[in-house]
Amino acid sequence: MTALGPLLGALADGSVEVVDLTSPLSEETPLIQLPPDRGQPWPFQREVISHYDEAGPTVYWNNIRLSEHTGTHFDAPVHWLPGKDHDDVSKVPPRRLFGPAAVLDFSAEAAEDPDFLLQRHHVEAWQKEHGPLPEQGWLLYRTGWADRQDDPGKFLNDRHTPGIAPECAKWLAQETPLVGIGVETVGTDAGLAGEFDDQPYPCHWYFHGADKYGLTQLRNLHRLPPQGALLIAAPLPIVGGSGSPARVLALVAGD
């Protein structure tokens, strides 16, 4: 309790703020679009069990149906072939579900070019200004795409969405101390990443192959500093699961 006392006090007096990075989950939540010959994820659906009615006069609850990768969600290593021998979402060590966050803001570039790809030199320039990427931390990639989430057409944008270049994704996954990557878009990779010649879907391929994680459809990244926030990711521990919808929070020191 001694170690936690200052944090609890800071939360109580507001000097540490809790920022919700999670997009609300509903029937309108945008869902990734795959080629017609691929298996398709289920959109979020619900069916009322009872709502203070004859089926349950004192109870309101629903059955739900959705893909593991719907809305703001956590990608476990087994989600992709190179990570097949690593953890499913139920086996991810709890200690790896929270850590420091580095927020890289390339929203201006993505506004100019929806297919903008983050390159290694962009990250290295950011590090010269803000310091090294955090040990056992997260790279949160801000592109401004969260502003589109209330319009599924603009959000999916016919697969023209920003991402990370293959060489950069490989470097981040294999040569930096990060534990994962978080993005505002529908998936951790660019919308057209399936068409990359050198490595399709590089974030999935390299991060999961390195036993690292992904977070998608984040919002409120503009409320986080470039360095110094603490990220908390809370997926459901689905046994054998490749991922899970998640509540993602950040602790941020006030001014």
PDB file of all heavy atoms in Angstrom, residues 132-164:
ATOM      1  N   PRO A 132      14.217   7.998 -26.267  1.00  0.00           N
ATOM      2  CA  PRO A 132      14.085   6.642 -26.808  1.00  0.00           C
ATOM      3  C   PRO A 132      12.689   6.055 -26.587  1.00  0.00           C
ATOM      4  O   PRO A 132      11.945   6.478 -25.691  1.00  0.00           O
ATOM      5  CB  PRO A 132      15.142   5.850 -26.029  1.00  0.00           C
ATOM      6  CG  PRO A 132      15.323   6.618 -24.762  1.00  0.00           C
ATOM      7  CD  PRO A 132      15.149   8.059 -25.125  1.00  0.00           C
ATOM      8  N   LEU A 133      12.362   5.078 -27.419  1.00  0.00           N
ATOM      9  CA  LEU A 133      11.117   4.340 -27.217  1.00  0.00           C
ATOM     10  C   LEU A 133      11.190   3.600 -25.890  1.00  0.00           C
ATOM     11  O   LEU A 133      12.241   3.084 -25.500  1.00  0.00           O
ATOM     12  CB  LEU A 133      10.895   3.353 -28.364  1.00  0.00           C
ATOM     13  CG  LEU A 133      10.716   3.988 -29.754  1.00  0.00           C
ATOM     14  CD1 LEU A 133      10.681   2.911 -30.824  1.00  0.00           C
ATOM     15  CD2 LEU A 133       9.456   4.845 -29.801  1.00  0.00           C
ATOM     16  N   PRO A 134      10.078   3.523 -25.151  1.00  0.00           N
ATOM     17  CA  PRO A 134      10.128   3.015 -23.777  1.00  0.00           C
ATOM     18  C   PRO A 134      10.304   1.498 -23.692  1.00  0.00           C
ATOM     19  O   PRO A 134       9.745   0.740 -24.488  1.00  0.00           O
ATOM     20  CB  PRO A 134       8.785   3.441 -23.199  1.00  0.00           C
ATOM     21  CG  PRO A 134       7.876   3.550 -24.379  1.00  0.00           C
ATOM     22  CD  PRO A 134       8.745   4.029 -25.509  1.00  0.00           C
ATOM     23  N   GLU A 135      11.068   1.083 -22.702  1.00  0.00           N
ATOM     24  CA  GLU A 135      11.272  -0.332 -22.424  1.00  0.00           C
ATOM     25  C   GLU A 135       9.952  -0.976 -22.034  1.00  0.00           C
ATOM     26  O   GLU A 135       9.219  -0.475 -21.186  1.00  0.00           O
ATOM     27  CB  GLU A 135      12.283  -0.491 -21.286  1.00  0.00           C
ATOM     28  CG  GLU A 135      12.737  -1.900 -21.031  1.00  0.00           C
ATOM     29  CD  GLU A 135      13.780  -2.371 -22.040  1.00  0.00           C
ATOM     30  OE1 GLU A 135      14.545  -1.525 -22.552  1.00  0.00           O
ATOM     31  OE2 GLU A 135      13.829  -3.600 -22.302  1.00  0.00           O
ATOM     32  N   GLN A 136       9.621  -2.109 -22.693  1.00  0.00           N
ATOM     33  CA  GLN A 136       8.365  -2.817 -22.434  1.00  0.00           C
ATOM     34  C   GLN A 136       7.163  -1.875 -22.537  1.00  0.00           C
ATOM     35  O   GLN A 136       6.217  -1.944 -21.748  1.00  0.00           O
ATOM     36  CB  GLN A 136       8.401  -3.509 -21.072  1.00  0.00           C
ATOM     37  CG  GLN A 136       9.383  -4.661 -20.990  1.00  0.00           C
ATOM     38  CD  GLN A 136       9.012  -5.795 -21.971  1.00  0.00           C
ATOM     39  OE1 GLN A 136       7.977  -6.448 -21.831  1.00  0.00           O
ATOM     40  NE2 GLN A 136       9.861  -6.008 -22.970  1.00  0.00           N
ATOM     41  N   GLY A 137       7.256  -0.982 -23.516  1.00  0.00           N
ATOM     42  CA  GLY A 137       6.203   0.012 -23.706  1.00  0.00           C
ATOM     43  C   GLY A 137       5.499  -0.143 -25.041  1.00  0.00           C
ATOM     44  O   GLY A 137       5.735  -1.086 -25.810  1.00  0.00           O
ATOM     45  N   TRP A 138       4.647   0.815 -25.321  1.00  0.00           N
ATOM     46  CA  TRP A 138       3.809   0.811 -26.518  1.00  0.00           C
ATOM     47  C   TRP A 138       4.124   2.017 -27.395  1.00  0.00           C
ATOM     48  O   TRP A 138       4.305   3.124 -26.884  1.00  0.00           O
ATOM     49  CB  TRP A 138       2.329   0.868 -26.125  1.00  0.00           C
ATOM     50  CG  TRP A 138       1.832  -0.355 -25.449  1.00  0.00           C
ATOM     51  CD1 TRP A 138       1.976  -0.687 -24.129  1.00  0.00           C
ATOM     52  CD2 TRP A 138       1.122  -1.436 -26.053  1.00  0.00           C
ATOM     53  NE1 TRP A 138       1.403  -1.900 -23.879  1.00  0.00           N
ATOM     54  CE2 TRP A 138       0.862  -2.383 -25.043  1.00  0.00           C
ATOM     55  CE3 TRP A 138       0.681  -1.689 -27.347  1.00  0.00           C
ATOM     56  CZ2 TRP A 138       0.178  -3.574 -25.288  1.00  0.00           C
ATOM     57  CZ3 TRP A 138      -0.002  -2.863 -27.596  1.00  0.00           C
ATOM     58  CH2 TRP A 138      -0.247  -3.801 -26.568  1.00  0.00           C
ATOM     59  N   LEU A 139       4.165   1.790 -28.687  1.00  0.00           N
ATOM     60  CA  LEU A 139       4.178   2.876 -29.644  1.00  0.00           C
ATOM     61  C   LEU A 139       2.736   3.101 -30.080  1.00  0.00           C
ATOM     62  O   LEU A 139       2.115   2.208 -30.678  1.00  0.00           O
ATOM     63  CB  LEU A 139       5.056   2.543 -30.852  1.00  0.00           C
ATOM     64  CG  LEU A 139       5.297   3.678 -31.864  1.00  0.00           C
ATOM     65  CD1 LEU A 139       6.571   3.424 -32.648  1.00  0.00           C
ATOM     66  CD2 LEU A 139       4.119   3.848 -32.835  1.00  0.00           C
ATOM     67  N   LEU A 140       2.198   4.270 -29.765  1.00  0.00           N
ATOM     68  CA  LEU A 140       0.842   4.640 -30.162  1.00  0.00           C
ATOM     69  C   LEU A 140       0.953   5.604 -31.345  1.00  0.00           C
ATOM     70  O   LEU A 140       1.537   6.678 -31.229  1.00  0.00           O
ATOM     71  CB  LEU A 140       0.097   5.283 -28.999  1.00  0.00           C
ATOM     72  CG  LEU A 140       0.009   4.431 -27.713  1.00  0.00           C
ATOM     73  CD1 LEU A 140      -0.816   5.157 -26.660  1.00  0.00           C
ATOM     74  CD2 LEU A 140      -0.567   3.048 -28.005  1.00  0.00           C
ATOM     75  N   TYR A 141       0.389   5.193 -32.456  1.00  0.00           N
ATOM     76  CA  TYR A 141       0.569   5.862 -33.746  1.00  0.00           C
ATOM     77  C   TYR A 141      -0.672   6.698 -34.039  1.00  0.00           C
ATOM     78  O   TYR A 141      -1.714   6.176 -34.424  1.00  0.00           O
ATOM     79  CB  TYR A 141       0.798   4.777 -34.791  1.00  0.00           C
ATOM     80  CG  TYR A 141       0.995   5.202 -36.217  1.00  0.00           C
ATOM     81  CD1 TYR A 141       1.563   6.429 -36.560  1.00  0.00           C
ATOM     82  CD2 TYR A 141       0.642   4.331 -37.246  1.00  0.00           C
ATOM     83  CE1 TYR A 141       1.752   6.779 -37.875  1.00  0.00           C
ATOM     84  CE2 TYR A 141       0.833   4.659 -38.574  1.00  0.00           C
ATOM     85  CZ  TYR A 141       1.387   5.888 -38.883  1.00  0.00           C
ATOM     86  OH  TYR A 141       1.586   6.227 -40.199  1.00  0.00           O
ATOM     87  N   ARG A 142      -0.545   8.014 -33.831  1.00  0.00           N
ATOM     88  CA  ARG A 142      -1.670   8.911 -34.048  1.00  0.00           C
ATOM     89  C   ARG A 142      -1.695   9.392 -35.492  1.00  0.00           C
ATOM     90  O   ARG A 142      -0.705   9.938 -35.999  1.00  0.00           O
ATOM     91  CB  ARG A 142      -1.595  10.119 -33.108  1.00  0.00           C
ATOM     92  CG  ARG A 142      -2.814  11.004 -33.226  1.00  0.00           C
ATOM     93  CD  ARG A 142      -2.761  12.233 -32.357  1.00  0.00           C
ATOM     94  NE  ARG A 142      -3.871  13.113 -32.702  1.00  0.00           N
ATOM     95  CZ  ARG A 142      -3.848  14.439 -32.649  1.00  0.00           C
ATOM     96  NH1 ARG A 142      -2.754  15.057 -32.222  1.00  0.00           N
ATOM     97  NH2 ARG A 142      -4.901  15.152 -33.002  1.00  0.00           N
ATOM     98  N   THR A 143      -2.812   9.190 -36.167  1.00  0.00           N
ATOM     99  CA  THR A 143      -2.962   9.596 -37.569  1.00  0.00           C
ATOM    100  C   THR A 143      -4.170  10.502 -37.790  1.00  0.00           C
ATOM    101  O   THR A 143      -4.424  10.913 -38.917  1.00  0.00           O
ATOM    102  CB  THR A 143      -3.123   8.354 -38.465  1.00  0.00           C
ATOM    103  OG1 THR A 143      -4.248   7.582 -37.998  1.00  0.00           O
ATOM    104  CG2 THR A 143      -1.865   7.497 -38.433  1.00  0.00           C
ATOM    105  N   GLY A 144      -4.939  10.779 -36.735  1.00  0.00           N
ATOM    106  CA  GLY A 144      -6.162  11.549 -36.886  1.00  0.00           C
ATOM    107  C   GLY A 144      -7.335  10.711 -37.353  1.00  0.00           C
ATOM    108  O   GLY A 144      -8.449  11.228 -37.526  1.00  0.00           O
ATOM    109  N   TRP A 145      -7.110   9.404 -37.537  1.00  0.00           N
ATOM    110  CA  TRP A 145      -8.167   8.552 -38.077  1.00  0.00           C
ATOM    111  C   TRP A 145      -9.323   8.367 -37.091  1.00  0.00           C
ATOM    112  O   TRP A 145     -10.443   8.058 -37.492  1.00  0.00           O
ATOM    113  CB  TRP A 145      -7.597   7.201 -38.499  1.00  0.00           C
ATOM    114  CG  TRP A 145      -8.086   6.804 -39.859  1.00  0.00           C
ATOM    115  CD1 TRP A 145      -8.980   5.823 -40.161  1.00  0.00           C
ATOM    116  CD2 TRP A 145      -7.726   7.407 -41.113  1.00  0.00           C
ATOM    117  NE1 TRP A 145      -9.193   5.780 -41.520  1.00  0.00           N
ATOM    118  CE2 TRP A 145      -8.442   6.743 -42.127  1.00  0.00           C
ATOM    119  CE3 TRP A 145      -6.871   8.455 -41.464  1.00  0.00           C
ATOM    120  CZ2 TRP A 145      -8.321   7.085 -43.467  1.00  0.00           C
ATOM    121  CZ3 TRP A 145      -6.753   8.797 -42.797  1.00  0.00           C
ATOM    122  CH2 TRP A 145      -7.469   8.126 -43.778  1.00  0.00           C
ATOM    123  N   ALA A 146      -9.076   8.582 -35.823  1.00  0.00           N
ATOM    124  CA  ALA A 146     -10.155   8.446 -34.834  1.00  0.00           C
ATOM    125  C   ALA A 146     -11.278   9.442 -35.089  1.00  0.00           C
ATOM    126  O   ALA A 146     -12.432   9.186 -34.728  1.00  0.00           O
ATOM    127  CB  ALA A 146      -9.597   8.633 -33.425  1.00  0.00           C
ATOM    128  N   ASP A 147     -10.958  10.562 -35.716  1.00  0.00           N
ATOM    129  CA  ASP A 147     -11.987  11.565 -36.011  1.00  0.00           C
ATOM    130  C   ASP A 147     -13.009  11.063 -37.025  1.00  0.00           C
ATOM    131  O   ASP A 147     -14.078  11.659 -37.176  1.00  0.00           O
ATOM    132  CB  ASP A 147     -11.343  12.846 -36.545  1.00  0.00           C
ATOM    133  CG  ASP A 147     -10.448  13.526 -35.521  1.00  0.00           C
ATOM    134  OD1 ASP A 147     -10.615  13.256 -34.313  1.00  0.00           O
ATOM    135  OD2 ASP A 147      -9.577  14.327 -35.935  1.00  0.00           O
ATOM    136  N   ARG A 148     -12.695   9.975 -37.713  1.00  0.00           N
ATOM    137  CA  ARG A 148     -13.579   9.431 -38.738  1.00  0.00           C
ATOM    138  C   ARG A 148     -14.480   8.301 -38.233  1.00  0.00           C
ATOM    139  O   ARG A 148     -15.298   7.778 -38.997  1.00  0.00           O
ATOM    140  CB  ARG A 148     -12.738   8.881 -39.901  1.00  0.00           C
ATOM    141  CG  ARG A 148     -11.854   9.905 -40.608  1.00  0.00           C
ATOM    142  CD  ARG A 148     -10.902   9.214 -41.559  1.00  0.00           C
ATOM    143  NE  ARG A 148     -10.138  10.131 -42.393  1.00  0.00           N
ATOM    144  CZ  ARG A 148     -10.227  10.205 -43.730  1.00  0.00           C
ATOM    145  NH1 ARG A 148     -11.032   9.388 -44.381  1.00  0.00           N
ATOM    146  NH2 ARG A 148      -9.493  11.056 -44.410  1.00  0.00           N
ATOM    147  N   GLN A 149     -14.329   7.893 -36.975  1.00  0.00           N
ATOM    148  CA  GLN A 149     -14.964   6.660 -36.527  1.00  0.00           C
ATOM    149  C   GLN A 149     -16.489   6.704 -36.531  1.00  0.00           C
ATOM    150  O   GLN A 149     -17.132   5.657 -36.584  1.00  0.00           O
ATOM    151  CB  GLN A 149     -14.464   6.293 -35.129  1.00  0.00           C
ATOM    152  CG  GLN A 149     -13.051   5.741 -35.146  1.00  0.00           C
ATOM    153  CD  GLN A 149     -12.635   5.171 -33.809  1.00  0.00           C
ATOM    154  OE1 GLN A 149     -13.458   4.949 -32.924  1.00  0.00           O
ATOM    155  NE2 GLN A 149     -11.350   4.929 -33.651  1.00  0.00           N
ATOM    156  N   ASP A 150     -17.081   7.886 -36.497  1.00  0.00           N
ATOM    157  CA  ASP A 150     -18.542   7.969 -36.517  1.00  0.00           C
ATOM    158  C   ASP A 150     -19.114   7.867 -37.927  1.00  0.00           C
ATOM    159  O   ASP A 150     -20.331   7.879 -38.110  1.00  0.00           O
ATOM    160  CB  ASP A 150     -18.994   9.272 -35.856  1.00  0.00           C
ATOM    161  CG  ASP A 150     -18.682   9.297 -34.368  1.00  0.00           C
ATOM    162  OD1 ASP A 150     -18.613   8.204 -33.755  1.00  0.00           O
ATOM    163  OD2 ASP A 150     -18.493  10.399 -33.819  1.00  0.00           O
ATOM    164  N   ASP A 151     -18.242   7.773 -38.929  1.00  0.00           N
ATOM    165  CA  ASP A 151     -18.661   7.625 -40.325  1.00  0.00           C
ATOM    166  C   ASP A 151     -17.922   6.424 -40.903  1.00  0.00           C
ATOM    167  O   ASP A 151     -16.776   6.549 -41.350  1.00  0.00           O
ATOM    168  CB  ASP A 151     -18.327   8.898 -41.111  1.00  0.00           C
ATOM    169  CG  ASP A 151     -18.842   8.853 -42.549  1.00  0.00           C
ATOM    170  OD1 ASP A 151     -18.942   7.744 -43.121  1.00  0.00           O
ATOM    171  OD2 ASP A 151     -19.113   9.928 -43.110  1.00  0.00           O
ATOM    172  N   PRO A 152     -18.536   5.223 -40.880  1.00  0.00           N
ATOM    173  CA  PRO A 152     -17.831   4.018 -41.335  1.00  0.00           C
ATOM    174  C   PRO A 152     -17.241   4.132 -42.735  1.00  0.00           C
ATOM    175  O   PRO A 152     -16.164   3.600 -43.000  1.00  0.00           O
ATOM    176  CB  PRO A 152     -18.907   2.929 -41.263  1.00  0.00           C
ATOM    177  CG  PRO A 152     -19.838   3.398 -40.187  1.00  0.00           C
ATOM    178  CD  PRO A 152     -19.879   4.900 -40.348  1.00  0.00           C
ATOM    179  N   GLY A 153     -17.921   4.825 -43.629  1.00  0.00           N
ATOM    180  CA  GLY A 153     -17.399   4.974 -44.981  1.00  0.00           C
ATOM    181  C   GLY A 153     -16.085   5.737 -45.001  1.00  0.00           C
ATOM    182  O   GLY A 153     -15.113   5.324 -45.642  1.00  0.00           O
ATOM    183  N   LYS A 154     -16.030   6.856 -44.287  1.00  0.00           N
ATOM    184  CA  LYS A 154     -14.805   7.647 -44.227  1.00  0.00           C
ATOM    185  C   LYS A 154     -13.728   6.910 -43.425  1.00  0.00           C
ATOM    186  O   LYS A 154     -12.538   7.028 -43.725  1.00  0.00           O
ATOM    187  CB  LYS A 154     -15.090   9.005 -43.578  1.00  0.00           C
ATOM    188  CG  LYS A 154     -15.868   9.965 -44.441  1.00  0.00           C
ATOM    189  CD  LYS A 154     -16.100  11.278 -43.722  1.00  0.00           C
ATOM    190  CE  LYS A 154     -14.788  11.996 -43.436  1.00  0.00           C
ATOM    191  NZ  LYS A 154     -15.016  13.314 -42.776  1.00  0.00           N
ATOM    192  N   PHE A 155     -14.149   6.161 -42.423  1.00  0.00           N
ATOM    193  CA  PHE A 155     -13.181   5.456 -41.574  1.00  0.00           C
ATOM    194  C   PHE A 155     -12.486   4.340 -42.352  1.00  0.00           C
ATOM    195  O   PHE A 155     -11.260   4.211 -42.329  1.00  0.00           O
ATOM    196  CB  PHE A 155     -13.893   4.893 -40.348  1.00  0.00           C
ATOM    197  CG  PHE A 155     -12.981   4.236 -39.355  1.00  0.00           C
ATOM    198  CD1 PHE A 155     -12.118   4.988 -38.575  1.00  0.00           C
ATOM    199  CD2 PHE A 155     -12.987   2.868 -39.184  1.00  0.00           C
ATOM    200  CE1 PHE A 155     -11.275   4.389 -37.656  1.00  0.00           C
ATOM    201  CE2 PHE A 155     -12.149   2.245 -38.271  1.00  0.00           C
ATOM    202  CZ  PHE A 155     -11.289   3.021 -37.504  1.00  0.00           C
ATOM    203  N   LEU A 156     -13.256   3.529 -43.061  1.00  0.00           N
ATOM    204  CA  LEU A 156     -12.664   2.441 -43.845  1.00  0.00           C
ATOM    205  C   LEU A 156     -12.030   2.963 -45.131  1.00  0.00           C
ATOM    206  O   LEU A 156     -11.034   2.413 -45.601  1.00  0.00           O
ATOM    207  CB  LEU A 156     -13.724   1.383 -44.141  1.00  0.00           C
ATOM    208  CG  LEU A 156     -14.311   0.708 -42.895  1.00  0.00           C
ATOM    209  CD1 LEU A 156     -15.465  -0.225 -43.276  1.00  0.00           C
ATOM    210  CD2 LEU A 156     -13.242  -0.062 -42.132  1.00  0.00           C
ATOM    211  N   ASN A 157     -12.634   4.003 -45.721  1.00  0.00           N
ATOM    212  CA  ASN A 157     -12.047   4.766 -46.829  1.00  0.00           C
ATOM    213  C   ASN A 157     -11.595   3.875 -47.989  1.00  0.00           C
ATOM    214  O   ASN A 157     -10.546   4.107 -48.587  1.00  0.00           O
ATOM    215  CB  ASN A 157     -10.869   5.607 -46.319  1.00  0.00           C
ATOM    216  CG  ASN A 157     -10.566   6.793 -47.219  1.00  0.00           C
ATOM    217  OD1 ASN A 157     -11.466   7.417 -47.762  1.00  0.00           O
ATOM    218  ND2 ASN A 157      -9.288   7.099 -47.368  1.00  0.00           N
ATOM    219  N   ASP A 158     -12.405   2.859 -48.302  1.00  0.00           N
ATOM    220  CA  ASP A 158     -12.090   1.957 -49.416  1.00  0.00           C
ATOM    221  C   ASP A 158     -10.666   1.411 -49.292  1.00  0.00           C
ATOM    222  O   ASP A 158      -9.939   1.301 -50.281  1.00  0.00           O
ATOM    223  CB  ASP A 158     -12.280   2.676 -50.747  1.00  0.00           C
ATOM    224  CG  ASP A 158     -12.342   1.711 -51.923  1.00  0.00           C
ATOM    225  OD1 ASP A 158     -12.732   0.537 -51.715  1.00  0.00           O
ATOM    226  OD2 ASP A 158     -11.985   2.122 -53.057  1.00  0.00           O
ATOM    227  N   ARG A 159     -10.276   1.088 -48.058  1.00  0.00           N
ATOM    228  CA  ARG A 159      -8.972   0.502 -47.700  1.00  0.00           C
ATOM    229  C   ARG A 159      -7.799   1.471 -47.831  1.00  0.00           C
ATOM    230  O   ARG A 159      -6.640   1.069 -47.671  1.00  0.00           O
ATOM    231  CB  ARG A 159      -8.683  -0.779 -48.484  1.00  0.00           C
ATOM    232  CG  ARG A 159      -9.683  -1.894 -48.215  1.00  0.00           C
ATOM    233  CD  ARG A 159      -9.224  -3.214 -48.771  1.00  0.00           C
ATOM    234  NE  ARG A 159      -9.047  -3.186 -50.207  1.00  0.00           N
ATOM    235  CZ  ARG A 159      -7.920  -3.511 -50.830  1.00  0.00           C
ATOM    236  NH1 ARG A 159      -6.861  -3.900 -50.145  1.00  0.00           N
ATOM    237  NH2 ARG A 159      -7.843  -3.472 -52.139  1.00  0.00           N
ATOM    238  N   HIS A 160      -8.050   2.731 -48.057  1.00  0.00           N
ATOM    239  CA  HIS A 160      -6.965   3.711 -48.099  1.00  0.00           C
ATOM    240  C   HIS A 160      -6.812   4.323 -46.715  1.00  0.00           C
ATOM    241  O   HIS A 160      -7.407   5.358 -46.388  1.00  0.00           O
ATOM    242  CB  HIS A 160      -7.248   4.783 -49.165  1.00  0.00           C
ATOM    243  CG  HIS A 160      -7.142   4.261 -50.559  1.00  0.00           C
ATOM    244  ND1 HIS A 160      -5.933   4.126 -51.212  1.00  0.00           N
ATOM    245  CD2 HIS A 160      -8.102   3.799 -51.409  1.00  0.00           C
ATOM    246  CE1 HIS A 160      -6.146   3.628 -52.421  1.00  0.00           C
ATOM    247  NE2 HIS A 160      -7.445   3.409 -52.560  1.00  0.00           N
ATOM    248  N   THR A 161      -6.027   3.655 -45.874  1.00  0.00           N
ATOM    249  CA  THR A 161      -5.790   4.107 -44.509  1.00  0.00           C
ATOM    250  C   THR A 161      -4.297   4.012 -44.198  1.00  0.00           C
ATOM    251  O   THR A 161      -3.601   3.153 -44.734  1.00  0.00           O
ATOM    252  CB  THR A 161      -6.581   3.263 -43.493  1.00  0.00           C
ATOM    253  OG1 THR A 161      -6.157   1.900 -43.570  1.00  0.00           O
ATOM    254  CG2 THR A 161      -8.079   3.324 -43.771  1.00  0.00           C
ATOM    255  N   PRO A 162      -3.790   4.887 -43.332  1.00  0.00           N
ATOM    256  CA  PRO A 162      -2.346   4.921 -43.064  1.00  0.00           C
ATOM    257  C   PRO A 162      -1.870   3.718 -42.272  1.00  0.00           C
ATOM    258  O   PRO A 162      -2.650   3.014 -41.631  1.00  0.00           O
ATOM    259  CB  PRO A 162      -2.172   6.214 -42.266  1.00  0.00           C
ATOM    260  CG  PRO A 162      -3.507   6.463 -41.642  1.00  0.00           C
ATOM    261  CD  PRO A 162      -4.523   5.937 -42.624  1.00  0.00           C
ATOM    262  N   GLY A 163      -0.546   3.509 -42.322  1.00  0.00           N
ATOM    263  CA  GLY A 163       0.037   2.384 -41.609  1.00  0.00           C
ATOM    264  C   GLY A 163       1.528   2.549 -41.443  1.00  0.00           C
ATOM    265  O   GLY A 163       2.034   3.680 -41.367  1.00  0.00           O
ATOM    266  N   ILE A 164       2.241   1.432 -41.398  1.00  0.00           N
ATOM    267  CA  ILE A 164       3.676   1.419 -41.162  1.00  0.00           C
ATOM    268  C   ILE A 164       4.356   0.650 -42.295  1.00  0.00           C
ATOM    269  O   ILE A 164       3.890  -0.426 -42.701  1.00  0.00           O
ATOM    270  CB  ILE A 164       3.997   0.784 -39.799  1.00  0.00           C
ATOM    271  CG1 ILE A 164       3.320   1.600 -38.683  1.00  0.00           C
ATOM    272  CG2 ILE A 164       5.498   0.694 -39.557  1.00  0.00           C
ATOM    273  CD1 ILE A 164       3.529   1.047 -37.300  1.00  0.00           C
TER     274      ILE A 164
END
